[in-house]
Amino acid sequence: MASESLSRIVTRRIPFDFPQDVKPHWIPDKPELAHLWNGASMTMPYLEPFLIRTMREALKQVQDPVVHADGEAFISQEGQHYRVHRRFNDQLIASGGYTELAAVEAQMEVFYAKLSTRSLGCRLAFSAGFESMTMGMTRWLIGERCKLFKDADPRVVSFVLWHMVEETEHKTVAFDVYQTLYGNYWQRMFGVLHGSYGVLNFGVRACVLMLKKDGLWKGWRSRWKFFAQGVTAVRHIGPYLLRAMLPWHDPRAERDLEWVREWLARFPADVADGSIPMVDTRDPLMPVPSMTVKSNEVSYGT
């Protein structure tokens, strides 16, 4: 805890809740987009514990007190993230009857078990590579939030955007730890590709399985919407990955969105009374929440 106090990164224990009325198609008329995020969410309870284990091992060798403190805070934040994703995923599977996702989860277990046997340098490069992808994901989801999430379930949208905000907050940590211990450019460059593909691959598999279960994959319109969303995601994420592969890359050079900076300034610590910073998806500007509310005070479509 003393080490974490040196870091500006905050662990916010926000009690996101996903009751039975949270549905898989939580974005009106956009099941393909909802399932893209749902598929990404399925990967988090496997990816993020891997990131935590890798960071914890690496910190045993880190002497810089600030880098070490940031690493401890990174572990705390990622621990919160994957636990909330697990709750969301459990509701998703139960609500949609997506029992087929167990096969994808088993594949992820194998993938991360095998990856865990690789060298620490390889695993840190993978971690830093994934974190570079999240900067593009944040730019897309938060920058385009009004277009993407209009009238969507505010409980899920608030959860999604909270995760993206905190990914921005700790965007330098995996990079700093890798550079401190290794600094090999070619390994880091490969990690950008490895870390991004390792996550996107399983997320897309899960997404397609859910679309098939819903009977949407048979129609060309749904497939077209899925591929169009994928192209849009690549358009937003791709430039960040390309810049991350440059020898002189430093995530500090990536400018944070004003919405992200405002969210962090407004919620600098744990939210009191078990309440949640709830985004108003009916507001055409979808601003940073000005207050917190209890999850059971908000329902889909309200």
Side-chain angles (χ1 to χ4, degrees), residues 93-104:
I93 293 170
S95 178
Y98 303 120
T99 55
E100 296 85 353
L101 289 172
V104 179

Side-chain angles (χ1 to χ4, degrees), residues 225-247:
K225 289 178 182 178
F226 167 77
F227 286 117
Q229 293 291 356
V231 169
T232 301
V234 169
R235 181 165 58 84
H236 284 85
I237 296 170
Y240 284 82
L241 298 183
L242 291 175
R243 289 196 291 273
M245 295 171 67
L246 295 172

Side-chain angles (χ1 to χ4, degrees), residues 1-293:
M1 211 51 183
S3 177
E4 279 191 61
S5 66
L6 294 175
S7 177
R8 295 183 178 181
I9 298 169
V10 178
T11 302
R12 301 171 187 84
R13 295 168 179 83
I14 301 177
F16 288 101
D17 186 31
F18 308 104
Q20 291 183 356
D21 64 324
V22 173
K23 303 302 182 185
H25 299 174
W26 46 273
I27 309 175
D29 303 318
K30 295 179 182 177
E32 297 82 11
L33 179 60
H35 277 327
L36 270 178
W37 168 258
N38 295 342
S41 181
M42 291 301 301
T43 70
M44 294 298 111
Y46 300 90
L47 165 69
E48 291 182 315
F50 166 82
L51 300 179
I52 290 170
R53 293 192 302 270
T54 300
M55 182 63 67
R56 186 170 286 127
E57 181 180 342
L59 290 183
K60 295 176 183 177
Q61 303 178 39
V62 173
Q63 302 299 315
D64 185 304
V66 175
V67 175
H68 194 283
D70 282 346
E72 293 284 359
F74 173 95
I75 289 170
S76 295
Q77 278 196 344
E78 295 290 31
Q80 292 298 310
H81 294 174
Y82 88 78
R83 291 182 181 93
V84 179
H85 277 281
R86 172 52 69 193
R87 294 200 297 272
F88 175 75
N89 294 350
D90 287 346
Q91 167 56 21
L92 176 70
I93 293 170
S95 178
Y98 303 120
T99 55
E100 296 85 353
L101 289 172
V104 179
E105 291 184 300
Q107 291 165 1
M108 287 190 283
E109 286 273 15
V110 172
F111 176 84
Y112 285 106
K114 184 176 180 180
L115 184 59
S116 295
T117 66
R118 303 287 295 274
S119 70
L120 179 59
C122 171
R123 286 178 279 138
L124 277 175
F126 179 100
S127 302
F130 166 74
E131 294 296 327
S132 66
M133 184 185 71
T134 65
M135 289 186 280
M137 187 71 73
T138 298
R139 172 68 63 170
W140 179 37
L141 297 181
I142 292 182
E144 301 287 327
R145 66 191 180 281
C146 300
K147 177 181 178 181
L148 296 173
F149 302 131
K150 183 180 184 298
D151 295 327
D153 189 325
R155 297 165 297 186
V156 183
V157 174
S158 301
F159 159 49
V160 171
L161 300 188
W162 159 75
H163 189 163
M164 293 298 97
V165 165
E166 292 201 339
E167 288 296 323
T168 299
E169 189 175 31
H170 69 230
K171 68 182 182 181
T172 65
V173 180
F175 174 85
D176 286 348
V177 173
Y178 176 81
Q179 291 296 101
T180 296
L181 297 183
Y182 296 96
N184 180 281
Y185 163 67
W186 295 106
Q187 186 176 49
R188 181 180 65 75
M189 186 198 75
F190 178 72
V192 174
L193 300 175
H194 190 197
S196 302
Y197 174 77
V199 175
L200 293 174
N201 175 41
F202 290 114
V204 169
R205 289 189 201 181
C207 174
V208 171
L209 272 176
M210 287 183 280
L211 289 171
K212 287 181 177 179
K213 180 75 172 186
D214 294 341
L216 294 172
W217 195 247
K218 296 178 182 179
W220 67 267
R221 286 186 178 85
S222 183
R223 292 196 186 197
W224 170 253
K225 289 178 182 178
F226 167 77
F227 286 117
Q229 293 291 356
V231 169
T232 301
V234 169
R235 181 165 58 84
H236 284 85
I237 296 170
Y240 284 82
L241 298 183
L242 291 175
R243 289 196 291 273
M245 295 171 67
L246 295 172
W248 51 84
H249 167 70
D250 188 328
R252 291 169 180 79
E254 300 291 357
R255 181 176 173 79
D256 298 339
L257 291 169
E258 177 60 32
W259 199 95
V260 172
R261 294 197 296 271
E262 184 180 343
W263 198 104
L264 291 171
R266 191 163 292 177
F267 304 103
D270 273 352
V271 177
D273 302 324
S275 54
I276 295 169
M278 196 74 71
V279 176
D280 184 357
T281 60
R282 299 168 302 174
D283 190 313
L285 298 179
M286 222 172 286
V288 173
S290 59
M291 58 182 293
T292 61
V293 300

